[in-house]
Amino acid sequence: MEAFEYAHPTTQHEAIGLLGSKWNDAAVLAGGTDLISLMKEYLVTPKRVVNIKNVEGLNGIHSNAEGVTIGALVTMDELLENATIRSEFPALTQAAGGITSPQIRAMGTVGGDLCQRPRCWYFRNGYGLLAKDENGKSLVPDGENRYHAILGNSGPAYFVNPSSLAPVLIALGAKLQLAGTKGQREVRASEFSVIPKSDEERENVLKPDEMLTHIVIPASSHGLRSATYEVRQKTALDWPLAAAAVAVKLEGGKVREGRIVLGHVAPIPWQAREAEKELEGKSITESAAASVGEAALRGAKPLSQNGYKVQLAKVAVKRALLAAAKGEA
Amino acid sequence: MADYHWPPTDKCSLIGRRISRLDGPWKSSGRIKYSYDVNRPNMLHGKMVFSPYAHAKVVSIDTSAAEKMPGVKAVEIMTEPGKEVFWAGQEVVAVAAETEEQARDAARRIQVRYEKLPHLVSDVDPRKAGEHTKQLAEQTDGNPDQALQQAEVTSEGEYGVPVITHCCLEAHGQVAEWDGDNLTIYASTQNVSGIPGEMVRAKIADSADKVRVLTPVMGGGFGSKFSADTWGLACARLAKKAGRPVKMMLERDQELMAAGARPSMYAKVKVGAKKDGTLVGWTSESWGTGGPDAQGGAPSIPYVVRIPDRRVRHTTVLTNIGPARAWRAPNHPQMCLITMSALDDLAAKLDMDPVEMLQKNIQMTGQLAKTYSAELEKAAALMDWKKRWHPRGDKTPGPIKKGLGVSIHTWGGAGHPSNCNCTIQPDGSVSASLGSQDLGTGTRTVIGIITAETMGLPLEAVTVNIGDSKYPPDGASGGSTTVGGVSSSTRRAATAALNQLLDKVAPSLNAKPDELEAIDGQIRVKGNPSRAISWKQACAKLGTTPITGVGQRQRGNDDLLSSGVGGAQMAEVSVDTETGLVHVDKLVAVQDCGLIIDLKTAESQVYGACIMGITYSLFEDKIMDEQTGRCLNADLEFYKLAGIGDFGDIVVHMMTGPGYDERGVIGLGEPPVISPGAAISNAVANAIGVRVPTLPLTPDKVLGALGKGAVA
């Protein structure tokens, strides 16, 4: 990796002051499970690395009347072990449990999970976030796209959002707190990820001088039934081929309202709004869940090699809904 | 001249028992050092610049900026300007620096200009390969067209296995250290005795005697580590230039791009039978790639089951995917998958149990027919095949379908040339020394067992010296030839040493040497246990001079070993027909390999082969991008290997006893890795009712076969 300046601030204010106005000025280091490998591959070459692990106030999971606040530095293991999360938001526990590497669970943070870069193999092999050849043409549509996007893929981005937790957090209506040199702001989890339109853009709304500090799951999400279902080829150390997170409010055995968010199928976590509408007022039976799964993928436009992901995502939605209805942990 | 033979197995105290490997505690505690672990005083680290292009001419190389980088001590051009590179990942320049990071940073500062040339990396359709194809062979026996015309049932299908890599967990590489003109190489190699000569041929050393290769243990080769390789030569040259030791191990991406690929093989097959299942004819059009050279060869198919009337046509596709290297049982897993899939599809068409079909045609397997028949029976019993097999397509309700599949395979496995010195010291200590290597298979332990058994001593009483080119030369470890070679030379050397000792001891026991035996830590008169002296007392009679017995295994007939084995495997799988996910619930492996020296390490070989087999059946695929010419999954993230949760029970049964033991020692490394692909593919077809034509059996292909792929 390229030489860099290393900073280890202890306050949020200090940390933000160390960030720069351009992406290459500084990078935020938390668990380091993605950043270090990106640096070793020279895919990012920040002039300064800002280690935020000693920054106070970014740890812990706290509940109050507003809801549950999760610090950006909470590790996957801490998330998994938290009793409130386990009982109130089983989908979040299931999603964290899908990260099957003990090392990554021990080091990786909630903030890092949301901010990690895509796993697109063209990106990771040095062809840029938008995977272009030397003439600026995307390599994905005519290339090896078996793991790429089936939704939100009209270009120029074809990668899939790699976050394990984002779909659940969106389904639970969570908000993300960001802090920057211009102050603090809050965005909905559903508005955090964006599809970049050019090489200059990133895959979320963070500015170079901002960092993610907290995630808040609103109190109104208590009492939702939630579940995550991932289709992974290997039982461990493998990315999901498709995933679905669902959160539903049941009244008299019928869905009053529900949220369905797909992971690993689009450049952003993909909220299936049409399917959510179709779910309303229904009892979650096998056939209802299957038809909601169909609805969730109605707009899918698979590339040359990834048609199978449409089927996988449908099944993920169906199985997540059935698990949520049963209250399976 | 002594008469060399194995003791009867019922008389053996060590041979044939389950004995833990001698180096197990050293490895699990980290006490023994792999090449990767070797750190010499004052050592530098080497890194390479490799071509980003699949085919290009190197126009110019400018190393000046790199040479000024901090810590950089030497630079070595590996591909001179004007020369071509034939795959992305081919080595162009090497640089040595004080730290790995400095070397990596310096490598990035080396300016290489390339002239890009056209490449081909796809092997899936030979018709699109144009001039990159080479019709290698056509072989016809009898009259296959007529045979297929007269067949009562025929089946046609297309089957295949993609290019995969070796993916050694210890990457290729070495540490090279000079002392004057003497070179020591701590190499991760399958060929300890052969590397010194290679250094002389490359004009790096002036005499093979001045090159010492040390490989006490190594972390996997599978056929990809026979040569010093370009990086081995470059490492020695960097060390010479810098006047300091240099370590240069491949990084994982280079390991996957450049350090070995198993050739692919695809075939369109037509096979025919009578209604009773008797096979009558076979034709196949096959193709595959072994990289830029015309390696890989024409397949010998149908595999194992020699259908009398057959025609085989094969085309080699020349591609820029990286060089082919021998991969554990070269060509056999591919030929096995193609043959056993085609026979399984034919059996399904006949509505016949595939095990019955194999038994029906067992005479076509030739001289191992009885072995195959017995192995199929044993495997069927261990799988409870007769009770659990169902015709194609599991009719159980729900998305999870279960199925069974079968395959058989063969391998040679005769011993390679080997030399052993066995020394008995006056203090009673015993050592066996060979320039062999232990790839992790148990070679060291086998040598120890044979030496101890021959001397009538416990295993702990003998020392095994291997992995050093200063010991008597031994063959490269390839083709399952090591165990035969070292077993023969060790038994001969130990017997020769013992005979010298018996000569010395005989007078004191008032007996002739050939009336004595070494047993239970004693030398005693055969049949008269009271006339005995202890091993230590016997050795004390040597005075001050140790004795050495020399054992040589040469090519040709050898009573101590043999070749030619058969094996049968059966798989049970569960397939989720909604997701296309395949789980191998159970794999039964029944294998013969003649006389087994160590049952435990033999079984471990088979367990390891089954896991490797499950891995290539479900996951492995070297994914090449035609646009960039690059391997896109040169990492362990998307080059997927099975983990402990990815397979179920593995049941291993070794065929031993009369009919097997008296054949002598036969190699075991290759055979058990051949059948898993075919057995698992057949089990999937049995479960879901349709064939998934090619490995690996990934969700996209399974769903595609089920018509749920919806490929746009």
Side-chain angles (χ1 to χ4, degrees):
Chain A
M1 62 180 77
E2 298 288 359
F4 56 88
E5 179 194 318
Y6 182 65
H8 42 93
T10 53
T11 67
Q12 201 171 295
H13 181 74
E14 209 186 332
I16 290 159
L18 289 159
L19 301 177
S21 59
K22 294 194 292 294
W23 286 112
N24 213 37
D25 290 342
V28 172
L29 172 71
T33 57
D34 189 23
L35 179 66
I36 302 301
S37 59
L38 288 163
M39 289 171 69
K40 282 170 111 172
E41 299 292 335
Y42 302 88
L43 294 169
V44 299
T45 51
K47 291 179 196 143
R48 179 187 292 151
V49 170
V50 182
N51 173 18
I52 60 164
K53 270 177 293 198
N54 302 316
V55 170
E56 56 196 28
L58 302 184
N59 287 293
I61 299 171
H62 308 285
S63 299
N64 60 22
E66 315 270 291
V68 176
T69 300
I70 303 168
L73 288 179
V74 167
T75 66
M76 291 298 161
D77 273 342
E78 287 167 347
L79 191 67
L80 276 167
E81 285 156 15
N82 187 275
T84 307
I85 304 282
R86 259 180 196 284
S87 62
E88 297 296 319
F89 313 117
L92 199 51
T93 305
Q94 290 156 9
I99 300 164
T100 44
S101 153
Q103 292 90 339
I104 289 177
R105 282 203 308 264
M107 292 300 293
T109 62
V110 172
D113 175 81
L114 296 170
C115 296
Q116 64 183 310
R117 309 300 306 276
R119 308 309 306 185
C120 164
W121 46 26
Y122 291 103
F123 171 56
R124 296 276 166 172
N125 276 293
Y127 294 95
L129 182 61
L130 300 180
K132 291 175 178 171
D133 69 10
E134 47 218 13
N135 303 316
K137 177 180 163 288
S138 174
L139 292 161
V140 179
D142 298 326
E144 296 297 323
N145 53 40
R146 69 194 72 183
Y147 300 132
H148 283 83
I150 52 174
L151 286 158
N153 59 354
S154 51
Y158 297 94
F159 60 81
V160 296
N161 181 284
S163 171
S164 296
L165 306 183
V168 193
L169 293 172
I170 294 168
L172 294 172
K175 291 184 174 136
L176 309 186
Q177 295 178 342
L178 318 179
T181 49
K182 295 197 183 85
Q184 310 222 355
R185 60 179 176 136
E186 198 169 75
V187 297
R188 292 170 193 277
S190 57
E191 289 163 359
F192 180 66
S193 294
V194 292
I195 302 179
K197 296 287 173 216
S198 73
D199 290 312
E200 285 69 45
E201 292 177 28
R202 282 287 179 102
E203 55 276 23
N204 58 50
V205 298
L206 277 172
K207 302 265 187 316
D209 63 350
E210 279 184 319
M211 57 186 255
L212 170 62
T213 61
H214 299 90
I215 295 95
V216 183
I217 304 174
S220 58
S221 291
H222 285 273
L224 295 181
R225 293 204 183 206
S226 69
T228 295
Y229 191 92
E230 294 182 346
V231 182
R232 242 185 292 116
Q233 200 194 356
K234 283 171 49 175
T235 49
L237 302 177
D238 199 9
W239 296 97
L241 296 164
V246 300
V248 294
K249 185 181 275 180
L250 290 180
E251 270 179 18
K254 293 201 168 22
V255 175
R256 169 83 185 274
E257 64 177 311
R259 288 203 195 91
I260 300 168
V261 187
L262 303 172
H264 299 272
V265 295
I268 56 174
W270 193 263
Q271 191 164 356
R273 295 183 193 275
E274 207 179 317
E276 288 172 355
K277 273 196 206 112
E278 185 148 339
L279 182 60
E280 272 173 38
K282 286 204 175 131
S283 318
I284 302 177
T285 60
E286 172 97 22
S287 71
S291 79
V292 171
E294 294 286 334
L297 274 298
R298 214 163 272 152
K301 290 196 178 66
L303 304 169
S304 57
Q305 296 177 339
N306 65 5
Y308 74 105
K309 287 184 64 166
V310 176
Q311 164 70 12
L312 298 189
K314 286 178 189 172
V315 174
V317 170
K318 180 179 87 170
R319 292 185 182 179
L321 282 171
L322 291 170
K326 264 199 242 166
E328 278 176 1
Chain B
M1 184 68 192
D3 172 26
Y4 296 103
H5 56 84
W6 295 110
T9 37
D10 57 347
K11 293 272 163 54
C12 289
S13 58
L14 296 171
I15 289 176
R17 293 176 57 180
R18 282 194 179 83
I19 295 172
S20 295
R21 62 185 67 222
L22 292 172
D23 47 17
W26 311 342
K27 287 180 172 176
S28 49
S29 65
R31 265 175 289 167
I32 197 157
K33 300 300 177 199
Y34 290 81
S35 300
Y36 226 114
D37 302 323
V38 171
N39 287 309
R40 301 295 300 159
N42 217 17
M43 185 179 82
L44 301 172
H45 296 266
K47 292 288 167 195
M48 286 176 277
V49 178
F50 54 78
S51 167
Y53 303 116
H55 187 197
K57 184 191 268 189
V58 175
V59 176
S60 66
I61 300 172
D62 181 357
T63 62
S64 54
E67 283 172 68
K68 290 186 199 115
M69 295 277 289
V72 172
K73 298 294 170 193
V75 175
E76 170 72 19
I77 307 286
M78 299 173 73
T79 304
E80 295 287 343
K83 293 261 199 294
E84 286 180 30
V85 286
F86 296 94
W87 57 87
Q90 192 167 348
E91 317 77 45
V92 181
V93 190
V95 55
E98 296 281 356
T99 69
E100 247 189 296
E101 291 73 21
Q102 286 174 334
R104 213 178 273 136
D105 286 343
R108 279 174 57 83
R109 294 293 183 278
I110 292 171
Q111 300 286 322
V112 183
R113 286 208 303 123
Y114 300 92
E115 180 190 331
K116 276 173 73 175
L117 298 168
H119 66 250
L120 178 78
V121 296
S122 170
D123 59 352
V124 292
D125 189 349
R127 288 165 305 181
K128 289 185 186 159
E131 60 188 23
H132 292 271
T133 58
K134 197 160 158 180
Q135 177 108 13
L136 261 195
E138 175 165 340
Q139 167 84 39
T140 305
D141 297 332
N143 192 338
D145 296 317
Q146 194 186 349
L148 285 170
Q149 235 165 34
Q150 291 166 358
E152 288 165 323
V153 181
T154 59
S155 171
E156 286 180 70
E158 191 173 320
Y159 314 97
V161 183
V163 171
I164 66 170
T165 76
H166 295 68
C167 204
C168 304
L169 288 191
E170 182 183 39
H172 287 62
Q174 62 291 305
V175 175
E177 180 171 11
W178 289 90
D179 177 10
D181 288 344
N182 294 300
L183 172 63
T184 302
I185 308 173
Y186 303 84
S188 184
T189 181
Q190 296 177 238
N191 192 7
V192 166
S193 300
I195 301 293
E198 220 180 313
M199 289 293 153
V200 176
R201 287 195 295 280
K203 300 189 170 33
I204 288 170
D206 52 27
S207 152
D209 287 336
K210 293 182 181 167
V211 181
R212 186 172 184 196
V213 176
L214 294 170
T215 311
V217 286
M218 58 98 74
F222 312 110
S224 68
K225 289 182 178 169
F226 291 126
S227 149
D229 281 314
T230 59
W231 44 81
L233 308 181
C235 185
R237 290 185 176 122
L238 286 170
K240 185 92 180 176
K241 280 184 185 171
R244 289 169 63 176
V246 175
K247 180 194 264 187
M248 190 154 71
M249 307 296 296
L250 296 197
E251 307 227 3
R252 181 56 53 186
D253 57 352
Q254 288 173 303
E255 179 71 19
L256 287 162
M257 283 189 287
R262 183 175 86 173
S264 60
M265 195 185 289
Y266 302 86
K268 290 183 173 132
V269 177
K270 186 172 185 183
V271 58
K274 296 183 192 164
K275 274 189 182 141
D276 68 356
T278 305
L279 298 166
V280 297
W282 167 286
T283 57
S284 58
E285 301 267 349
S286 55
W287 69 95
T289 188
D293 304 317
Q295 287 177 11
S300 175
I301 46 178
Y303 180 68
V304 179
V305 185
R306 298 286 168 199
I307 300 171
D309 293 279
R310 64 166 193 138
R311 182 177 58 247
V312 179
R313 275 204 201 107
H314 187 77
T315 303
T316 288
V317 184
L318 305 178
T319 57
N320 303 93
I321 59 159
R325 295 187 180 204
W327 193 103
R328 206 170 178 179
N331 278 338
H332 283 234
Q334 300 94 313
M335 299 190 298
C336 184
L337 183 281
I338 287 165
T339 304
M340 297 300 154
S341 299
L343 298 190
D344 191 72
D345 285 352
L346 181 60
K349 228 172 160 181
L350 282 160
D351 213 9
M352 192 173 183
D353 178 337
V355 178
E356 269 173 44
M357 181 192 251
L358 287 172
Q359 291 283 25
K360 175 99 197 161
N361 294 283
I362 207 78
Q363 290 312 318
M364 290 185 198
T365 64
Q367 57 187 18
L368 287 169
K370 264 175 72 180
T371 299
Y372 283 120
S373 189
E375 287 175 338
L376 282 167
E377 271 179 40
K378 185 70 202 175
L382 290 169
M383 185 54 100
D384 203 6
W385 179 280
K386 286 201 178 106
K387 199 171 135 210
R388 304 176 71 188
W389 182 80
H390 55 72
R392 198 166 265 197
D394 182 1
K395 303 292 187 289
T396 316
I400 308 294
K401 305 295 182 193
K402 281 178 166 278
L404 296 184
V406 61
S407 173
I408 56 177
H409 58 260
T410 187
W411 187 256
H416 62 207
S418 172
N419 296 281
C420 175
N421 287 352
C422 183
T423 297
I424 302 172
Q425 299 284 352
D427 69 352
S429 56
V430 175
S431 64
S433 303
L434 306 85
S436 179
Q437 48 281 321
D438 186 337
L439 308 191
T441 53
T443 305
R444 175 180 273 112
T445 310
V446 161
I447 293 166
I449 289 171
I450 292 168
T451 309
E453 182 79 55
T454 306
M455 305 292 180
L457 295 171
L459 183 56
E460 308 81 69
V462 305
T463 302
V464 180
N465 301 313
I466 58 168
D468 185 339
S469 61
K470 292 297 179 206
Y471 295 133
D474 210 274
S477 288
S480 303
T481 58
T482 308
V483 73
V486 302
S487 295
S488 172
S489 66
T490 303
R491 176 69 175 171
R492 286 162 198 276
T495 304
L498 178 66
N499 286 344
Q500 291 179 54
L501 182 67
L502 298 183
D503 285 343
K504 289 268 186 194
V505 171
S508 65
L509 285 169
N510 210 5
K512 290 182 186 151
D514 62 3
E515 290 168 350
L516 301 179
E517 62 181 353
I519 193 164
D520 294 337
Q522 293 183 322
I523 305 289
R524 69 186 190 195
V525 177
K526 285 178 197 164
N528 190 349
S530 62
R531 285 171 63 197
I533 59 170
S534 74
W535 177 262
K536 277 216 178 260
Q537 287 170 327
C539 295
K541 295 192 184 301
L542 296 174
T544 57
T545 314
I547 49 179
T548 292
V550 176
Q552 191 173 37
R553 148 75 187 150
Q554 293 173 308
R555 291 206 187 278
N557 286 339
D558 187 328
D559 291 341
L560 295 173
L561 54 87
S562 181
S563 74
V565 298
Q569 295 189 4
M570 291 180 180
E572 179 174 38
V573 300
S574 296
V575 184
D576 184 334
T577 51
E578 290 185 348
T579 62
L581 291 171
V582 176
H583 188 264
V584 179
D585 300 330
K586 185 172 176 179
L587 188 59
V588 171
V590 178
Q591 186 64 51
D592 71 302
C593 64
L595 175 69
I596 293 174
I597 304 296
D598 182 355
L599 186 53
K600 190 172 189 174
T601 52
E603 287 170 341
S604 292
Q605 275 279 72
V606 183
Y607 285 116
C610 287
I611 295 166
M612 203 168 184
I614 290 167
T615 295
Y616 76 67
S617 302
L618 301 187
F619 303 116
E620 284 185 87
D621 193 352
K622 181 171 179 165
I623 296 168
M624 302 297 303
D625 177 49
E626 193 59 56
Q627 303 165 99
T628 59
R630 294 282 293 268
C631 172
L632 292 177
N633 61 340
D635 52 49
L636 291 181
E637 178 177 352
F638 289 112
Y639 192 88
K640 300 184 185 187
L641 300 177
I644 199 78
D646 294 316
F647 47 86
D649 292 341
I650 297 174
V651 179
V652 173
H653 178 84
M654 304 303 298
M655 301 296 276
T656 56
Y660 300 98
D661 297 348
E662 66 271 19
R663 296 189 66 199
V665 178
I666 312 175
L668 179 63
E670 337 276 319
V673 86
I674 298 166
S675 269
I680 293 167
S681 178
N682 288 343
V684 168
N686 182 248
I688 66 174
V690 287
R691 169 71 52 185
V692 182
T694 61
L695 299 184
L697 303 160
T698 48
D700 53 339
K701 292 190 202 165
V702 174
L703 290 175
L706 286 165
K708 295 180 189 172
V711 174

